[in-house]
Amino acid sequence: MKTSPQDNAQQWIESWKQASVALKAIKRHELRNYDYAKNQAIVDGMLQWAFEHRTVRLDSGLVEQQRLFMKMKSS
């Protein structure tokens, strides 16, 4: 029996829904059990890099977001 493209797409969607639940559980577990003391140097290094490479922003980005939404709406 041949499956239709719609059936294939629905199976794909259902598979990803199930995977999403499992992946969220894994992520939650990893975040709850992360050993910050053991990895403090790595975390500090990432934060230091972010601080050294920061850019000063004079706005929140909301104006730019609204501009993009208006552009998409008019297209």
Side-chain angles (χ1 to χ4, degrees), residues 25-47:
I26 291 168
K27 182 177 181 180
R28 202 171 27 253
H29 174 76
E30 288 176 348
L31 288 172
R32 286 184 179 160
N33 295 304
Y34 188 75
D35 187 353
Y36 286 96
K38 177 182 168 190
N39 297 297
Q40 185 172 359
I42 295 169
V43 173
D44 286 347
M46 290 188 311
L47 292 171

Side-chain angles (χ1 to χ4, degrees), residues 47-63:
L47 292 171
Q48 185 64 38
W49 184 91
F51 178 77
E52 290 170 0
H53 294 87
R54 70 191 183 280
T55 58
V56 177
R57 293 188 63 172
L58 301 176
D59 62 4
S60 67
L62 291 175
V63 173

